[in-house]
Amino acid sequence: MLIFTLRKEHRRRLLALVLIILVLVLYRINWSGLTPAKMSRRNLGLQAESEDFTLEGEKFRIFGGSLHYFRVPKLYWRDRMLKMKACGLNTLTTYVAWNLHEPQRGHFDFTDNLDIVEFIKVAEEVGLWVLLRPGPYICSEWELGGLPSWLLRDPGMKLRTTYKGFIDAVDSFFDQLLSLIMPLQYKKGGPIIAFQVENEYGAYAKDPKYLTYVKQALLKRGVVEMLMTSDSKDGPELGYIEGVLAAINFKKLGPGLVSFLDKVQPNKPKMVMEYWTGWFDFWGGLHHVFKVDEMMEIVGDILQKGFSINLYMFHGGTNFGFMNGATDFNQYKPLITSYDYDAPLSEAGDLTLKYHKLRELFHKYIDRALPDPPPPLEKAEYKSIEITGYLPLQDTLQYVAQPISSKSPINMENLPFNNGNGQSYGYTLYETIVSSGGKLNSVHVHDRAQVFVDDKSVGILDYNIIEITVPEVQGNKKLSVLVENCGRVNYGEKIDEQHKGLVGDILLNGKPLENFRIYALEMQPDFLKKLGSAEWKKPLQGPLSPGFFRAVLKIDSQPLDTFLALPDWEKGVVFVNGKNLGRYWNIGPARTLYLPAPWLHKGDNEIVIFEEHKAGKTVHFQRHPVLGDITYDT
């Protein structure tokens, strides 16, 4: 035995060397299982120099899932991330919603539920890497694809191009956002291993210089990690740029996308940036469901081919407030409040059959035990509550910004409110005087208008109904047009055309109406607070003009998640303790609104409902959602 024939000091050195080699071997074997908190060497980062990703020189595979901080209450971020980790995921991806962070030009908000730094740090604590998708455009079935509506005040605006007005705004936002994000990069000791350059630009591709601009905008502000693009079959060739790894998006794997990757980046790792686990729903449609077995077959095929994968969505969450997007491919279709997406984690964060099947599959590819997921969050079926107060819309106008007078209608974005940033969301009320009835028509209603004569409803105008009859009137009467922004388009070529309100004339018997008084009904928290001091009336029976209805939910113990239901109501918005829960509409598909426990408290909880047409008498609560009749995606 050679080791015993060596001198004592040489034996010590040799044993020490063997021990070092053994430690290094074990370290290399378990590298892929290390969490961000345990990584020590931070020199190379994520690399794509062969058919496999490497992280710090070691083979690495992305098992990712999409979770958006802006669609989930902050107190639930950790719960959702722990469930991701327990499913076998090692990476979290999220978009950044510019419109929330900069609601007015130059006024930034990264606090509370918009604290993206905290969100990323929680991911790191849980043991997840982060792939950040900062936009500036994100699609995401989110209002205007995440772009702030004040951009549309510029009459020459060309979104998602190198138009100076747009890139100046992007530069200002990136200055703020990336100054917060840079210390969280992998090479700086944080969990962010990659950034995405814009989003699915190949399907838009209005400016060949634009993607290069976004790439440089990231690099010049200190991004040192890998850059990626992502595109679906709608245009991968136009969304690819040199020096940036191309990734693909799909629900079903076709040969075209893979052959494109082989052509533009041979011998590089293949990444599915968005594997669509489900789909989103539109008002008046059906609830989309993607069959579990079919999904699992495709995911299994992706993994067998050695691809990295990101599940979009792993947890969809909710389009709280007025943040749902829309599509317009020759027909305008707004999305519903729920963004359940038929994802592995339900809207309320519950484990689904998809979750359990994915966990079994991922475990086969991971040489370590998976942690148990957190226990399910308990749900409550609170007793139904009665409506106790009513305020007609006209009684609440004293609590909004002073109206403006204008000879012609002005669209939401160009109204002189919010420090010159216009109105972004909600409703706009246009009032004028008429002295006759007749045919009222307009193709300039974006998106839906209820018309009143002396506060009595006479009809609806929208994209499909462009003419109604106004009854004959005696003398001068007030004609009111209440226009709702139902959600700006988030995808497609009509993104520049998303002005809301009355975007042109409205005609009575062929003549444009004039001399309007215009109110911005944004329904922000300060407005809801003012309603608290109003003199609420006793609820009336029969047809009512639009108005606000008040009820109180008394909770005697620790609040629990629940689902709010309004089976006898028609269309409107619900506010709970001043927070905008989202829109409801009896055309479905969804019949409930998710009400998370963090938005409730022990004691009295105020519920305010803005109803446009027909109010009910009660508010109901239940343990389970009703997402509507199903259509199976094929």
Side-chain angles (χ1 to χ4, degrees):
M1 300 271 290
L2 177 62
I3 192 169
F4 293 108
T5 63
L6 296 176
R7 296 164 66 179
K8 187 175 182 180
E9 59 186 282
H10 290 164
R11 289 204 303 269
R12 287 176 181 167
R13 290 176 184 174
L14 182 59
L15 286 170
L17 180 60
V18 170
L19 183 59
I20 290 171
I21 292 172
L22 180 61
V23 169
L24 287 174
V25 168
L26 292 173
Y27 189 53
R28 290 167 67 91
I29 290 172
N30 290 290
W31 190 280
S32 63
L34 289 177
T35 64
K38 294 178 181 178
M39 293 291 287
S40 56
R41 291 169 52 199
R42 299 288 183 127
N43 300 318
L44 299 176
L46 188 67
Q47 300 287 316
E49 302 304 323
S50 65
E51 292 186 349
D52 296 307
F53 285 113
T54 59
L55 184 61
E56 211 55 41
E58 300 301 321
K59 184 176 177 180
F60 180 77
R61 192 171 189 181
I62 296 172
F63 293 88
S66 289
L67 167 68
H68 300 151
Y69 59 96
F70 45 86
R71 283 183 160 124
V72 179
K74 183 176 183 179
L75 289 178
Y76 283 163
W77 289 347
R78 188 178 298 271
D79 172 80
R80 307 313 194 242
M81 292 180 195
L82 287 170
K83 290 169 180 172
M84 294 176 77
K85 186 73 175 176
C87 193
L89 303 187
N90 59 19
T91 303
L92 176 151
T93 72
T94 186
Y95 284 126
V96 177
W98 179 9
N99 61 340
L100 294 183
H101 290 295
E102 193 177 4
Q104 296 181 25
R105 185 187 288 269
H107 295 264
F108 299 95
D109 185 0
F110 293 94
T111 63
D112 195 29
N113 228 92
L114 299 180
D115 190 348
I116 189 170
V117 170
E118 178 65 20
F119 180 77
I120 293 170
K121 287 182 176 179
V122 173
E124 181 178 30
E125 292 169 8
V126 168
L128 295 169
W129 303 108
V130 174
L131 197 162
L132 194 67
R133 310 172 79 184
Y137 161 84
I138 62 173
C139 182
S140 189
E141 291 73 62
W142 193 251
E143 229 271 351
L144 200 59
L147 302 176
S149 66
W150 46 258
L151 290 166
L152 299 174
R153 291 175 65 85
D154 181 344
M157 178 56 65
K158 296 179 177 61
L159 302 174
R160 305 182 72 193
T161 71
T162 52
Y163 173 72
K164 187 175 187 303
F166 183 66
I167 63 173
D168 284 351
V170 174
D171 284 340
S172 176
F173 174 59
F174 273 8
D175 284 345
Q176 295 291 323
L177 171 67
L178 296 176
S179 67
L180 300 173
I181 296 301
M182 290 305 94
L184 301 173
Q185 295 183 92
Y186 172 88
K187 292 174 185 175
K188 307 288 186 182
I192 301 176
I193 57 174
F195 290 78
Q196 183 175 297
V197 179
E198 233 263 357
N199 187 59
E200 293 184 320
Y201 194 69
Y204 191 70
K206 297 292 186 182
D207 184 342
K209 299 178 181 178
Y210 176 66
L211 282 182
T212 299
Y213 153 72
V214 178
K215 172 187 172 183
Q216 293 302 322
L218 296 173
L219 294 176
K220 70 191 266 186
R221 288 170 176 83
V223 170
V224 294
E225 307 302 339
M226 177 179 289
L227 298 179
M228 298 182 181
T229 58
S230 76
D231 283 281
S232 67
K233 62 179 177 59
D234 293 338
E237 293 87 355
L238 298 175
Y240 168 72
I241 51 176
E242 287 290 337
V244 176
L245 187 76
I248 52 178
N249 305 338
F250 59 82
K251 178 172 285 183
K252 296 189 177 179
L253 181 58
L257 286 172
V258 176
S259 61
F260 166 75
L261 294 181
D262 286 334
K263 179 179 70 175
V264 300
Q265 50 191 38
N267 302 315
K268 296 281 188 181
K270 292 182 174 65
M271 170 75 186
V272 183
M273 182 66 76
E274 293 184 12
Y275 176 71
W276 302 324
T277 61
W279 207 242
F280 45 86
D281 299 335
F282 300 102
W283 287 118
L286 298 171
H287 173 51
H288 290 79
V289 168
F290 188 29
K291 291 182 179 178
V292 177
D293 291 342
E294 189 171 359
M295 185 199 78
M296 292 305 303
E297 182 179 350
I298 299 169
V299 173
D301 186 33
I302 292 169
L303 297 182
Q304 281 186 341
K305 292 179 185 302
F307 295 7
S308 284
I309 188 171
N310 175 61
L311 301 169
Y312 187 101
M313 296 294 295
F314 187 80
H315 173 49
T318 309
N319 296 318
F320 292 119
F322 297 121
M323 289 298 120
N324 63 277
T327 63
D328 191 349
F329 300 102
N330 300 317
Q331 181 184 8
Y332 173 80
K333 298 169 69 175
L335 276 74
I336 69 169
T337 300
S338 171
Y339 198 61
D340 177 87
Y341 208 85
D342 191 35
L345 284 185
S346 74
E347 182 178 11
D350 294 322
L351 310 185
T352 68
L353 180 57
K354 284 183 178 178
Y355 179 96
H356 293 294
K357 292 281 188 179
L358 286 166
R359 190 171 191 264
E360 290 175 11
L361 178 61
F362 288 148
H363 197 206
K364 296 176 182 178
Y365 289 85
I366 300 170
D367 188 23
R368 57 184 169 81
L370 295 178
D372 292 330
L377 295 170
E378 190 178 350
K379 311 293 189 298
E381 185 174 333
Y382 296 113
K383 290 183 179 179
S384 299
I385 55 176
E386 300 286 327
I387 296 298
T388 59
Y390 164 61
L391 281 176
L393 176 61
Q394 288 293 323
D395 288 6
T396 68
L397 297 182
Q398 60 184 306
Y399 302 117
V400 304
Q402 283 294 316
I404 67 158
S405 297
S406 174
K407 183 177 181 180
S408 301
I410 301 175
N411 60 62
M412 276 189 178
E413 297 77 10
N414 287 98
L415 290 170
F417 298 126
N418 297 314
N419 301 313
N421 288 273
Q423 180 183 353
S424 294
Y425 317 111
Y427 301 74
T428 307
L429 179 65
Y430 300 82
E431 293 184 344
T432 189
I433 301 297
V434 297
S435 56
S436 67
K439 298 296 183 183
L440 184 75
N441 61 73
S442 180
V443 294
H444 300 300
V445 171
H446 291 187
D447 300 300
R448 185 176 187 273
Q450 194 172 0
V451 182
F452 308 88
V453 174
D454 277 359
D455 300 331
K456 293 183 179 178
S457 180
V458 296
I460 299 292
L461 293 172
D462 59 21
Y463 293 101
N464 300 312
I465 305 170
I466 62 172
E467 182 174 281
I468 61 174
T469 299
V470 174
E472 286 300 325
V473 301
Q474 298 294 323
N476 292 332
K477 299 291 184 180
K478 180 179 68 175
L479 183 139
S480 305
V481 184
L482 180 65
V483 187
E484 178 189 9
N485 165 10
C486 296
R488 294 185 179 87
V489 162
N490 56 267
Y491 183 84
E493 296 192 357
K494 293 187 178 180
I495 197 168
D496 283 328
E497 306 167 13
Q498 295 308 301
H499 295 89
K500 300 298 181 180
L502 289 180
V503 302
D505 287 329
I506 186 167
L507 310 178
L508 181 61
N509 298 322
K511 294 183 178 180
L513 293 175
E514 296 182 336
N515 301 320
F516 289 91
R517 182 180 290 262
I518 306 174
Y519 296 84
L521 302 169
E522 299 173 284
M523 301 186 189
Q524 294 181 356
D526 60 340
F527 168 75
L528 272 296
K529 188 176 292 185
K530 290 175 183 176
L531 291 189
S533 61
E535 293 187 15
W536 291 78
K537 306 176 187 295
K538 201 170 184 180
L540 302 175
Q541 302 301 313
L544 300 170
S545 65
F548 294 84
F549 297 81
R550 185 178 185 271
V552 175
L553 172 64
K554 188 173 182 59
I555 299 177
D556 296 325
S557 57
Q558 185 69 24
L560 301 174
D561 283 3
T562 189
F563 294 90
L564 185 147
L566 299 166
D568 303 321
W569 301 64
E570 188 166 334
K571 184 180 187 301
V573 188
V574 178
F575 303 87
V576 177
N577 294 324
K579 289 186 176 291
N580 191 333
L581 205 62
R583 312 175 206 254
Y584 65 92
W585 198 351
N586 65 358
I587 65 173
R591 304 288 177 175
T592 54
L593 291 173
Y594 173 52
L595 175 50
W599 288 16
L600 297 168
H601 52 247
K602 194 173 181 180
D604 291 346
N605 294 268
E606 182 184 58
I607 296 178
V608 173
I609 303 168
F610 176 68
E611 168 61 47
E612 298 177 30
H613 301 285
K614 174 180 172 291
K617 298 179 182 178
T618 54
V619 181
H620 303 272
F621 304 92
Q622 53 196 62
R623 288 189 177 89
H624 304 287
V626 178
L627 296 177
D629 294 335
I630 288 172
T631 180
Y632 288 103
D633 289 344
T634 56

